[in-house]
Amino acid sequence: MRNCYYGGIYSSIIGDIGIMAYENTIIYVELLEQNTHTFHTHKIYQNLRQNNISKKATQYLIQYFAGIKQECDIALAPQGTPFQKHVWTMLQQVPFGTTKSYKEIAIMLGKPNAMRAVGNACAKNPILFFIPCHRIVGNNGNLGGYRAGIALKQHLLLHEQDCISTHLP
């Protein structure tokens, strides 16, 4: 039986975002300009057909960048080690507009000295935006790293904080 991948490219205010789904789960989301093989990567996403889950993911991103706070109820299936998957599950519990430190995530995992391993798992996050690794910062509040660049991490955090402050009663 042939594997069926779905998805496409969403042109956002920060650039083109590639979305890849397998059956009814999102397996990969990347900012295409950050990929060194942009032409090849664009070609892959352009050849994918949309399905319900990739359309739902695109709609989520449209609302996210429009400043609409929402819960992500899209099935995600990131590929990684058991530890990475555990970290990525914890990251999904960090609320919109807030941050946690690498140490706080390590403590949530029951491994208080695993801050560096948490940082490495964040760096390998295959589903940007949906698994919000941009919400994880250093103990002293510094931004740390981000696979799509520190400037974008700062932009996303400010975007979320602005959304919250403009929608307060």
Side-chain angles (χ1 to χ4, degrees):
M1 185 171 180
R2 189 172 155 248
N3 289 337
C4 287
Y5 293 92
Y6 301 93
I9 298 172
Y10 163 59
S11 293
S12 77
I13 61 171
I14 61 165
D16 289 344
I17 297 173
I19 301 169
M20 186 176 288
Y22 177 73
E23 296 178 353
N24 291 318
T25 61
I26 298 297
I27 60 169
Y28 199 76
V29 174
E30 67 177 326
L31 184 61
L32 297 178
E33 283 74 21
Q34 297 297 320
N35 189 317
T36 57
H37 306 291
T38 302
F39 175 76
H40 178 68
T41 302
H42 269 73
K43 192 172 181 179
I44 290 169
Y45 289 105
Q46 288 170 346
N47 291 328
L48 293 174
R49 293 180 298 135
Q50 289 271 345
N51 70 351
N52 287 340
I53 196 76
S54 62
K55 287 177 187 174
K56 191 174 182 179
T58 299
Q59 189 59 39
Y60 174 88
L61 289 172
I62 289 168
Q63 292 180 342
Y64 176 84
F65 288 113
I68 300 169
K69 182 182 168 190
Q70 60 195 313
E71 296 297 321
C72 182
D73 63 349
I74 298 170
L76 307 176
Q79 301 301 303
T81 67
F83 179 79
Q84 288 170 336
K85 289 178 182 180
H86 199 186
V87 169
W88 299 331
T89 298
M90 292 295 115
L91 299 183
Q92 292 174 70
Q93 296 175 23
V94 180
F96 183 95
T98 65
T99 61
K100 289 218 180 278
S101 70
Y102 297 102
K103 183 174 182 81
E104 288 174 304
I105 298 297
I107 291 169
M108 288 169 62
L109 293 165
K111 299 177 183 280
N113 295 321
M115 290 99 49
R116 185 167 287 163
V118 168
N120 288 333
C122 288
K124 295 190 187 313
N125 174 10
I127 306 178
L128 292 179
F129 311 109
F130 296 86
I131 298 175
C133 58
H134 63 275
R135 296 180 189 149
I136 311 307
V137 299
N139 279 343
N140 60 0
N142 70 8
L143 294 182
Y146 187 54
R147 184 166 67 102
I150 293 294
L152 180 58
K153 182 174 186 169
Q154 184 174 29
H155 173 79
L156 295 173
L157 291 172
L158 291 172
H159 168 70
E160 291 182 9
Q161 290 166 359
D162 286 347
C163 292
I164 288 174
S165 65
T166 59
H167 291 94
L168 288 175

